[in-house]
Short mmCIF file of all heavy atoms in Angstrom, two decimals:
data_model
loop_
_atom_site.label_atom_id
_atom_site.label_comp_id
_atom_site.label_asym_id
_atom_site.label_seq_id
_atom_site.Cartn_x
_atom_site.Cartn_y
_atom_site.Cartn_z
N PRO E 512 8.97 90.95 63.80
CA PRO E 512 9.09 90.30 62.46
C PRO E 512 10.39 90.80 61.72
O PRO E 512 10.98 90.06 60.94
CB PRO E 512 7.82 90.71 61.68
CG PRO E 512 6.89 91.23 62.65
CD PRO E 512 7.63 91.65 63.87
N GLU E 513 10.67 92.03 61.98
CA GLU E 513 11.81 92.67 61.08
C GLU E 513 13.19 92.14 61.54
O GLU E 513 14.16 92.31 60.81
CB GLU E 513 11.76 94.22 61.26
CG GLU E 513 10.58 94.83 60.68
CD GLU E 513 9.44 94.98 61.65
OE1 GLU E 513 9.34 94.22 62.67
OE2 GLU E 513 8.51 95.86 61.51
N SER E 514 13.21 91.62 62.77
CA SER E 514 14.57 91.17 63.27
C SER E 514 14.59 89.66 63.46
O SER E 514 14.05 89.21 64.41
CB SER E 514 14.79 91.96 64.60
OG SER E 514 16.08 91.51 65.06
N PRO E 515 15.28 89.03 62.56
CA PRO E 515 15.34 87.51 62.72
C PRO E 515 15.99 87.09 64.00
O PRO E 515 16.85 87.82 64.50
CB PRO E 515 16.18 87.12 61.48
CG PRO E 515 16.32 88.28 60.66
CD PRO E 515 16.08 89.48 61.47
N PHE E 516 15.58 85.97 64.51
CA PHE E 516 16.27 85.37 65.73
C PHE E 516 16.33 83.92 65.55
O PHE E 516 15.78 83.39 64.59
CB PHE E 516 15.46 85.79 66.99
CG PHE E 516 14.09 85.18 67.11
CD1 PHE E 516 13.93 83.93 67.79
CD2 PHE E 516 13.01 85.80 66.52
CE1 PHE E 516 12.62 83.41 67.88
CE2 PHE E 516 11.81 85.24 66.59
CZ PHE E 516 11.56 84.01 67.34
N TYR E 517 17.13 83.28 66.42
CA TYR E 517 17.16 81.90 66.42
C TYR E 517 17.17 81.35 67.84
O TYR E 517 17.45 82.13 68.84
CB TYR E 517 18.40 81.35 65.57
CG TYR E 517 19.69 81.96 66.10
CD1 TYR E 517 20.52 81.15 66.90
CD2 TYR E 517 20.18 83.22 65.68
CE1 TYR E 517 21.74 81.71 67.38
CE2 TYR E 517 21.43 83.67 66.16
CZ TYR E 517 22.13 82.96 66.94
OH TYR E 517 23.34 83.44 67.43
N LEU E 518 16.87 80.06 68.02
CA LEU E 518 16.67 79.51 69.32
C LEU E 518 17.92 78.88 69.93
O LEU E 518 18.32 79.20 71.08
CB LEU E 518 15.61 78.47 69.27
CG LEU E 518 14.20 78.94 68.80
CD1 LEU E 518 13.25 77.77 68.73
CD2 LEU E 518 13.65 80.05 69.65
N GLU E 519 18.55 77.97 69.24
CA GLU E 519 19.58 77.08 69.77
C GLU E 519 20.99 77.74 69.56
O GLU E 519 21.20 78.50 68.69
CB GLU E 519 19.68 75.83 68.98
CG GLU E 519 18.24 75.20 68.71
CD GLU E 519 17.92 74.03 69.62
OE1 GLU E 519 18.75 73.70 70.51
OE2 GLU E 519 16.86 73.47 69.49
N GLY E 520 21.90 77.26 70.41
CA GLY E 520 23.34 77.59 70.23
C GLY E 520 23.77 78.91 70.79
O GLY E 520 22.95 79.68 71.31
N PRO E 521 24.98 79.20 70.64
CA PRO E 521 25.59 80.45 71.13
C PRO E 521 24.93 81.64 70.49
O PRO E 521 24.69 81.72 69.36
CB PRO E 521 27.06 80.42 70.77
CG PRO E 521 27.35 78.99 70.33
CD PRO E 521 26.09 78.38 69.95
N GLY E 522 24.53 82.64 71.35
CA GLY E 522 23.85 83.81 70.92
C GLY E 522 22.42 83.67 70.62
O GLY E 522 21.74 84.64 70.24
N GLY E 523 21.90 82.47 70.92
CA GLY E 523 20.49 82.23 70.54
C GLY E 523 19.56 82.50 71.80
O GLY E 523 20.07 82.86 72.85
N LEU E 524 18.27 82.39 71.51
CA LEU E 524 17.24 82.77 72.55
C LEU E 524 17.36 81.89 73.85
O LEU E 524 17.37 82.39 74.99
CB LEU E 524 15.88 82.69 71.97
CG LEU E 524 14.75 83.08 72.95
CD1 LEU E 524 14.83 84.56 73.27
CD2 LEU E 524 13.36 82.76 72.36
N PHE E 525 17.58 80.56 73.70
CA PHE E 525 17.61 79.65 74.85
C PHE E 525 18.80 80.04 75.71
O PHE E 525 18.69 80.06 76.90
CB PHE E 525 17.75 78.21 74.40
CG PHE E 525 16.55 77.67 73.71
CD1 PHE E 525 16.66 76.59 72.78
CD2 PHE E 525 15.26 78.21 73.91
CE1 PHE E 525 15.57 76.10 72.10
CE2 PHE E 525 14.18 77.69 73.32
CZ PHE E 525 14.33 76.65 72.34
N GLU E 526 19.96 80.33 75.08
CA GLU E 526 21.13 80.68 75.94
C GLU E 526 20.83 81.97 76.70
O GLU E 526 21.14 82.07 77.85
CB GLU E 526 22.30 80.89 74.97
CG GLU E 526 23.61 81.17 75.67
CD GLU E 526 24.77 81.63 74.75
OE1 GLU E 526 24.71 82.84 74.39
OE2 GLU E 526 25.60 80.86 74.47
N TYR E 527 20.18 82.94 76.01
CA TYR E 527 19.88 84.17 76.76
C TYR E 527 18.91 83.96 77.82
O TYR E 527 19.00 84.56 78.86
CB TYR E 527 19.36 85.22 75.70
CG TYR E 527 18.90 86.52 76.32
CD1 TYR E 527 19.77 87.35 77.01
CD2 TYR E 527 17.56 86.97 76.18
CE1 TYR E 527 19.32 88.47 77.55
CE2 TYR E 527 17.12 88.19 76.68
CZ TYR E 527 18.13 88.93 77.43
OH TYR E 527 17.67 90.12 78.00
N ILE E 528 17.83 83.11 77.63
CA ILE E 528 16.88 82.83 78.69
C ILE E 528 17.57 82.28 79.93
O ILE E 528 17.39 82.70 81.07
CB ILE E 528 15.78 81.89 78.23
CG1 ILE E 528 14.94 82.57 77.15
CG2 ILE E 528 14.93 81.39 79.36
CD1 ILE E 528 13.89 81.66 76.50
N GLU E 529 18.47 81.36 79.67
CA GLU E 529 19.17 80.68 80.82
C GLU E 529 20.06 81.76 81.58
O GLU E 529 20.02 81.78 82.79
CB GLU E 529 20.09 79.60 80.24
CG GLU E 529 20.61 78.74 81.38
CD GLU E 529 21.28 77.46 80.75
OE1 GLU E 529 21.03 77.08 79.61
OE2 GLU E 529 22.10 76.86 81.56
N LYS E 530 20.70 82.65 80.83
CA LYS E 530 21.51 83.66 81.46
C LYS E 530 20.61 84.56 82.24
O LYS E 530 20.96 84.89 83.42
CB LYS E 530 22.16 84.44 80.32
CG LYS E 530 23.06 85.55 80.75
CD LYS E 530 23.85 86.13 79.59
CE LYS E 530 24.41 87.48 79.85
NZ LYS E 530 23.56 88.60 79.55
N ARG E 531 19.52 85.02 81.71
CA ARG E 531 18.67 85.96 82.47
C ARG E 531 18.07 85.28 83.70
O ARG E 531 17.98 85.95 84.78
CB ARG E 531 17.43 86.42 81.61
CG ARG E 531 17.68 87.54 80.64
CD ARG E 531 18.42 88.73 81.19
NE ARG E 531 17.66 89.72 81.81
CZ ARG E 531 18.08 90.61 82.72
NH1 ARG E 531 19.35 90.64 82.95
NH2 ARG E 531 17.31 91.51 83.21
N LEU E 532 17.69 84.08 83.63
CA LEU E 532 17.11 83.37 84.77
C LEU E 532 18.12 83.20 85.85
O LEU E 532 17.85 83.33 87.00
CB LEU E 532 16.49 82.03 84.37
CG LEU E 532 15.18 82.10 83.46
CD1 LEU E 532 14.80 80.66 83.14
CD2 LEU E 532 14.07 82.90 84.17
N ASN E 533 19.36 82.90 85.46
CA ASN E 533 20.45 82.78 86.41
C ASN E 533 20.73 84.04 87.09
O ASN E 533 20.95 84.17 88.28
CB ASN E 533 21.76 82.19 85.79
CG ASN E 533 21.59 80.72 85.49
OD1 ASN E 533 20.81 80.02 86.11
ND2 ASN E 533 22.31 80.30 84.44
N GLU E 534 20.67 85.16 86.34
CA GLU E 534 21.00 86.50 86.86
C GLU E 534 19.86 87.04 87.70
O GLU E 534 20.02 87.62 88.77
CB GLU E 534 21.17 87.48 85.74
CG GLU E 534 22.49 87.40 85.08
CD GLU E 534 22.44 88.17 83.70
OE1 GLU E 534 21.41 88.89 83.36
OE2 GLU E 534 23.42 88.14 82.96
N ASN E 535 18.62 86.85 87.25
CA ASN E 535 17.48 87.62 87.78
C ASN E 535 16.39 86.76 88.41
O ASN E 535 15.53 87.22 89.09
CB ASN E 535 16.83 88.41 86.61
CG ASN E 535 16.80 89.86 86.93
OD1 ASN E 535 17.43 90.32 87.86
ND2 ASN E 535 16.01 90.53 86.16
N GLY E 536 16.37 85.43 88.08
CA GLY E 536 15.37 84.56 88.64
C GLY E 536 14.07 84.57 87.84
O GLY E 536 13.15 83.73 88.08
N HIS E 537 13.83 85.53 86.96
CA HIS E 537 12.66 85.60 86.20
C HIS E 537 12.89 86.44 84.91
O HIS E 537 13.91 87.20 84.87
CB HIS E 537 11.50 86.23 86.93
CG HIS E 537 11.63 87.65 87.22
ND1 HIS E 537 12.43 88.14 88.32
CD2 HIS E 537 11.12 88.73 86.66
CE1 HIS E 537 12.33 89.49 88.31
NE2 HIS E 537 11.60 89.89 87.25
N MET E 538 12.01 86.34 83.96
CA MET E 538 12.14 87.28 82.77
C MET E 538 10.82 87.40 82.07
O MET E 538 9.90 86.59 82.16
CB MET E 538 13.20 86.73 81.86
CG MET E 538 12.84 85.59 80.97
SD MET E 538 14.17 85.07 79.79
CE MET E 538 14.30 86.49 78.74
N VAL E 539 10.71 88.49 81.26
CA VAL E 539 9.52 88.70 80.48
C VAL E 539 10.02 88.84 78.92
O VAL E 539 10.98 89.48 78.65
CB VAL E 539 8.84 90.06 80.91
CG1 VAL E 539 7.64 90.37 79.93
CG2 VAL E 539 8.33 89.93 82.34
N ILE E 540 9.22 88.08 78.13
CA ILE E 540 9.50 88.09 76.70
C ILE E 540 8.21 88.62 75.99
O ILE E 540 7.11 88.24 76.30
CB ILE E 540 9.78 86.72 76.15
CG1 ILE E 540 11.00 86.06 76.86
CG2 ILE E 540 9.95 86.76 74.57
CD1 ILE E 540 11.16 84.59 76.53
N VAL E 541 8.43 89.65 75.11
CA VAL E 541 7.32 90.15 74.27
C VAL E 541 7.63 89.62 72.82
O VAL E 541 8.72 89.83 72.32
CB VAL E 541 7.26 91.66 74.35
CG1 VAL E 541 6.39 92.22 73.24
CG2 VAL E 541 6.68 92.12 75.63
N VAL E 542 6.57 89.03 72.22
CA VAL E 542 6.76 88.54 70.87
C VAL E 542 5.65 89.15 69.99
O VAL E 542 4.48 89.05 70.33
CB VAL E 542 6.92 87.03 70.78
CG1 VAL E 542 5.65 86.33 71.32
CG2 VAL E 542 7.15 86.61 69.38
#
Side-chain angles (χ1 to χ4, degrees):
E513 296 87 339
S514 182
F516 65 94
Y517 57 97
L518 302 177
E519 318 258 359
L524 182 65
F525 293 153
E526 184 190 77
Y527 176 58
I528 293 175
E529 192 169 342
K530 179 170 162 273
R531 277 315 273 160
L532 292 180
N533 285 333
E534 283 165 4
N535 237 12
H537 69 277
M538 79 179 292
V539 175
I540 301 171
V541 164
V542 59

